[in-house]
C-alpha cells in the first residue's frame, strides 16, 4: 500500500510539472504598452511624424535604451547572440520595410567578439501607406524580441503599439525625435565613393580601397563588419596599411572554405575628426593578381594550435574546480574512496567508462555547435542556457541532487549507494552516465584558459574543432583517471568512514546554490510568472522526495 501511495504521489508531481511547464512565458509587455521597461533597459516604438498623409512614406523606429555594460546586436551578431526581430501588424494596404541597420560597434568579450549596440540605438523601418486611407487614424503594432548581453545573455520581448492620425496635408514632423532620426540616418552605411576590391590569401581576407587621397590621410580606424558569419575570424586583429594607391585592410579568414562574394559594412575614422563614416561593401572575390603588390602586406602566421590544445587541456582541468562542477566530482572522489577496496582492474575499467561518458558528451556538444554554426546560428559554449525549458530542468536536477545529498532520500540501499556492490555492467553504465551528467552541469561554467580554446576551435575545420573539444574533455576527466589508474594515489586517499556522510551533506549546499542561480537566470528570461512556475515545481519536487525518503525509511525498518 505504501509503495502504491509513493508511486501515485510521484505520478501526480510529474503531472503537475507537465501542466506548469507550458505556462512559462517569455517576458512580454501587455499589448499596446509603449514604452516598455525591461530588466536591462527600455524600448519603445516611435515615429518621425505626428501625422501621416496617404501615399507618403514615413519612418518609424524601435528605440532602445540599454543599461551600462549591456549590449544588443546587429544583423550579424558576431560570435554569439542573435539579431533583434520585429513582426508587424498594420492595416491592409500598408507596407513596412525590413530593419535599416545603423553601423555597429565591435564588442569584445574575450576571447570572442560581437557586433552590436550599446547605450542607445534606433532600428529604423520605412512605412509606405496606401493612397486611399478612410480611417481617421491608424494603429501600428510591433511584436519584437531581442537579446541583451554582458557576460550572460538574456532574451527579452515586448509588444509595442502606436497610433497616428491621418491628415490631408503634408506629414507633421515629430519635434521630440527629429534629431534622433537624423543622427541615425547619418549612421546608415552609404555606397562607397571609391572602388573596393576583395581578394583571399591562404590565411587572410584582403580589402583594398583604391583611393590615393586616403593613402596620405590620417586614417586611424578602419573596421570591417561582414554580413555573413565565417568570412573572417571576428576577434582577429584588423590590420590597416596605407600606401600611394589607397588603403588595405587584412583580416584573418574564418571557417568558410569557399567565399565567392563579400558583403558587409566598412567604418572609417580620421584622427582629425570625431565623425565615423560607414560604407557598404558588396563585391566579388577577385584573384590576388588584381590587387596592387604594394597593397599586399605580409601575411600573419597561422594560429599556434599546439598552444591552443595546451590551453584546452588546462581549461578542462581547472573546470573541475568551478562551482557548478565541483560538488558532482567531489561525490566521485567520495565514491572512489570506497572503490579503493575493489580490484584494480575493475577500477580502471570504471575510470575508462567515466572518461568515455565525458568524451562522448564533449563530442556531441562540439558537433552541435559546428552544425548550428553551419546553419548560420550564432552560438557558443553554454548556448542551451538560452532555453528557459533547459534552465528549468537543470534547476530541478540540481535541487533534486541537493535533497539527495542532504539525506531526504537516498539512491540505493545506503547513502549515495556507498557500500552497495554493483554488477560490473551496472557499474560501468553508471560511470558512463556520471561522465555525461558531469559534462551537462559543466556547461554553465567557463574556466580560465578554456574560453580561448573554444573561441579558436569554432574558427577551425571540423576535425580540428572536435579534437580541441576532446582535449578539453580529457583535461576535465584527468584527476579522476589519474587516481583510478595509479595505485600509489589510491593508497593516499583517506579511509572510508563516517566523515564521508558528513562531507556529502555539506556538498548539498553548493547544489542548492547552483539551483538558485539557475532560478535567477530563468527569472531574467521569463519574469515573475516563470519564477512562480519554477518555485511551484521545486515545492512539488521537494514533497515527492520527502515522501519517497519516508517510504525508504519504512521499508528499511521492515527489513530489520
Amino acid at each position: 500500500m505504501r509503495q502504491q501511495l509513493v508511486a501515485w504521489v510521484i505520478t501526480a508531481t510529474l503531472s503537475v510539472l507537465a501542466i506548469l511547464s507550458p505556462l512559462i512565458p517569455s517576458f512580454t509587455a501587455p499589448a499596446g504598452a509603449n514604452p516598455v521597461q525591461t530588466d536591462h533597459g527600455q524600448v519603445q516604438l516611435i515615429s518621425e511624424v505626428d501625422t501621416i498623409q496617404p501615399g507618403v512614406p514615413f519612418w518609424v523606429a524601435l528605440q532602445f535604451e540599454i543599461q551600462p555594460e549591456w549590449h544588443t546586436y546587429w544583423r550579424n551578431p558576431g560570435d554569439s547572440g542573435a539579431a533583434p526581430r520585429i513582426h508587424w501588424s498594420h492595416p491592409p494596404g500598408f507596407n513596412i520595410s525590413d530593419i535599416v541597420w545603423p553601423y555597429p560597434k565591435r564588442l569584445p568579450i574575450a576571447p570572442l567578439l560581437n557586433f552590436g549596440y550599446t547605450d542607445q540605438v534606433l532600428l529604423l523601418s520605412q512605412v509606405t501607406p496606401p493612397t486611399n486611407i478612410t480611417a481617421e487614424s491608424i494603429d501600428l503594432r510591433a511584436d519584437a524580441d531581442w537579446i541583451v548581453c554582458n557576460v550572460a545573455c538574456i532574451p527579452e520581448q515586448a509588444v509595442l503599439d502606436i497610433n497616428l492620425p491621418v491628415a490631408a496635408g503634408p506629414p507633421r514632423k515629430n519635434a521630440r525625435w527629429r534629431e534622433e532620426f537624423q543622427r541615425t540616418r547619418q549612421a546608415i552605411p552609404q555606397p562607397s565613393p571609391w572602388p573596393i576590391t576583395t581578394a583571399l590569401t591562404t590565411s587572410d581576407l584582403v580589402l583594398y580601397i583604391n583611393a590615393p587621397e586616403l593613402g596620405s590621410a590620417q586614417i586611424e580606424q578602419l573596421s570591417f563588419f561582414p554580413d555573413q558569419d565565417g568570412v573572417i575570424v571576428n576577434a582577429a586583429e584588423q590590420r590597416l596599411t596605407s600606401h600611394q594607391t589607397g588603403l588595405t585592410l587584412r583580416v584573418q579568414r574564418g571557417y568558410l572554405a569557399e567565399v565567392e562574394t563579400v558583403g558587409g559594412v566598412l567604418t572609417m575614422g580620421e584622427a582629425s575628426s570625431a565623425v565615423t563614416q560607414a560604407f557598404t561593401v558588396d563585391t566579388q572575390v577577385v584573384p590576388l593578381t588584381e590587387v596592387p603588390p604594394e597593397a599586399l602586406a605580409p601575411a600573419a602566421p597561422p594560429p599556434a594550435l599546439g598552444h591552443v590544445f595546451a590551453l584546452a587541456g588546462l581549461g578542462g582541468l581547472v573546470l573541475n574546480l568551478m562551482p557548478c562542477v565541483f560538488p558532482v566530482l567531489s561525490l566521485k572522489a567520495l565514491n572512489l574512496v570506497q572503490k579503493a577496496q575493489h580490484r584494480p582492474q575493475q577500477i580502471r575499467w570504471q575510470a575508462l567508462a567515466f572518461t568515455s561518458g565525458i568524451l562522448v558528451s564533449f563530442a556531441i556538444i562540439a558537433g552541435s555547435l559546428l552544425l548550428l554554426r553551419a546553419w548560420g546560428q550564432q552560438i557558443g559554449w553554454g548556448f542551451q542556457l538560452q532555453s528557459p525549458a533547459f534552465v528549468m530542468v537543470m534547476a530541478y536536477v540540481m535541487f533534486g541532487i541537493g535533497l539527495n545529498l542532504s539525506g531526504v532520500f537516498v539512491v540505493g540501499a545506503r547513502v549515495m549507494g556507498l557500500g552497495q556492490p554493483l554488477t560490473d555492467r551496472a557499474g560501468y553504465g553508471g560511470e558512463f552516465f556520471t561522465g555525461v551528467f558531469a559534462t551537462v552541469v559543466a556547461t554553465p561554467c567557463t574556466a580560465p584558459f578554456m574560453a580561448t580554446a573554444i573561441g579558436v576551435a569554432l574558427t577551425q575545420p571540423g576535425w580540428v574543432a572536435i579534437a580541441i573539444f576532446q582535449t578539453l574533455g580529457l583535461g576535465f576527466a584527468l584527476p579522476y583517471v589519474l587516481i583510478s589508474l595509479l595505485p600509489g594515489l589510491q593508497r593516499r586517499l583517506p579511509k572510508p568512514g563516517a566523515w564521508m556522510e558528513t562531507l556529502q551533506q555539506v556538498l548539498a549546499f553548493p547544489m542548492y546554490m547552483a539551483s538558485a542561480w539557475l532560478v535567477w537566470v530563468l527569472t531574467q528570461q521569463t519574469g515573475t510568472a516563470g519564477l512562480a512556475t519554477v518555485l511551484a515545481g521545486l515545492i512539488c519536487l521537494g514533497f515527492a522526495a520527502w515522501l519517497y525518503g519516508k517510504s525508504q525509511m519504512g521499508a528499511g525498518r521492515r527489513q530489520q
Side-chain angles (χ1 to χ4, degrees), residues 184-511:
T184 301
R185 271 195 291 269
Q186 291 173 350
I188 295 173
Q190 302 298 314
S192 172
W194 312 285
I196 298 178
T197 302
T198 57
L200 296 173
T201 70
T202 55
S203 60
D204 289 340
L205 170 70
V206 179
L207 291 96
Y208 165 60
I209 304 176
N210 185 0
E213 64 272 25
L214 295 179
S216 57
Q218 294 183 337
I219 304 297
E220 66 173 8
Q221 178 265 321
L222 191 68
S223 298
F224 176 60
F225 300 88
D227 285 338
Q228 182 182 10
D229 186 58
V231 175
I232 64 172
V233 175
N234 298 322
E237 178 187 6
Q238 300 202 0
R239 307 183 301 280
L240 170 65
T241 56
S242 57
H243 37 79
Q244 292 182 348
T245 59
L247 302 174
T248 301
L249 189 69
R250 293 186 67 137
V251 192
Q252 184 182 339
R253 290 181 60 175
Y255 61 84
L256 292 179
E258 300 292 334
V259 179
E260 296 180 355
T261 62
V262 173
V265 169
L266 202 61
T267 61
M268 180 185 302
E270 296 186 47
S272 59
S273 173
V275 176
T276 297
Q277 302 180 71
F279 306 103
T280 56
V281 176
D282 186 9
T283 66
Q284 296 284 332
V285 175
V286 301
L288 283 173
T289 54
E290 297 187 24
V291 180
E294 65 270 18
L296 298 176
L305 288 180
H307 180 64
V308 174
F309 279 105
L311 288 177
L314 186 57
L317 183 63
V318 176
L319 187 60
N320 288 285
L321 302 178
M322 294 296 104
C324 49
V325 183
F326 183 73
V328 175
L329 295 188
S330 297
L331 294 176
K332 290 305 301 174
L334 287 174
N335 201 10
L336 194 60
V337 170
Q338 189 272 336
K339 288 179 180 177
Q341 314 303 318
H342 292 182
R343 299 189 309 272
Q345 184 178 6
Q346 181 182 2
I347 295 176
R348 294 190 187 100
W349 279 107
Q350 289 177 339
L352 180 61
F354 175 73
T355 304
S356 299
I358 290 178
L359 294 181
V360 168
S361 301
F362 271 91
I364 292 173
I365 291 174
S368 300
L369 290 172
L370 294 172
L371 183 60
L372 290 172
R373 188 166 281 270
W375 288 345
Q377 300 296 316
Q378 308 298 317
I379 36 74
W381 178 258
F383 64 95
Q384 59 272 54
L385 287 181
Q386 295 185 14
S387 166
F390 178 86
V391 174
M392 181 184 67
V393 170
M394 288 304 299
Y396 290 155
V397 170
M398 295 293 187
F399 186 67
I401 293 174
L403 293 175
N404 175 247
L405 298 181
S406 294
V408 176
F409 69 99
V410 296
V411 177
R414 301 179 185 176
V415 176
M416 289 304 297
L418 297 178
Q420 178 186 6
L422 300 172
T423 65
D424 284 354
R425 180 176 179 184
Y428 299 150
E431 293 291 340
F432 178 87
F433 284 105
T434 300
V436 172
F437 179 70
T439 305
V440 170
V441 300
T443 55
C445 290
T446 301
F449 315 110
M450 172 180 158
T452 300
I454 292 176
V456 173
L458 295 179
T459 67
Q460 300 298 313
W463 69 271
V464 177
I466 292 176
I468 292 174
F469 272 84
Q470 292 293 280
T471 305
L472 183 63
L474 286 173
F476 188 40
L478 184 60
Y480 183 77
V481 172
L482 287 178
I483 294 175
S484 300
L485 297 181
L486 300 178
L489 292 178
Q490 295 174 25
R491 287 192 292 270
R492 293 179 178 271
L493 293 175
K495 299 297 182 182
W499 65 270
M500 297 172 64
E501 184 172 344
T502 301
L503 180 58
Q504 168 194 302
Q505 294 173 354
V506 170
L507 291 173
F509 293 95
M511 304 306 281

Side-chain angles (χ1 to χ4, degrees), residues 48-124:
E48 192 177 16
V49 298
D50 287 328
T51 64
I52 67 173
Q53 182 181 7
V56 178
F58 62 96
W59 291 89
V60 296
L62 252 63
Q63 188 251 359
F64 291 90
E65 294 181 9
I66 306 166
Q67 284 185 354
E69 299 182 2
W70 290 77
H71 62 266
T72 192
Y73 293 96
W74 186 54
R75 64 184 179 227
N76 173 9
D79 287 324
S80 63
R85 297 179 298 181
I86 307 173
H87 175 73
W88 293 98
S89 299
H90 52 75
F94 279 73
N95 181 62
I96 302 181
S97 72
D98 293 334
I99 296 173
V100 179
W101 301 89
Y103 69 81
K105 300 177 181 178
R106 288 166 58 89
L107 304 170
I109 303 179
L112 309 179
L113 189 130
N114 296 330
F115 306 141
Y117 309 101
T118 58
D119 302 326
Q120 177 180 278
V121 65
L122 270 63
L123 300 183
L124 303 181

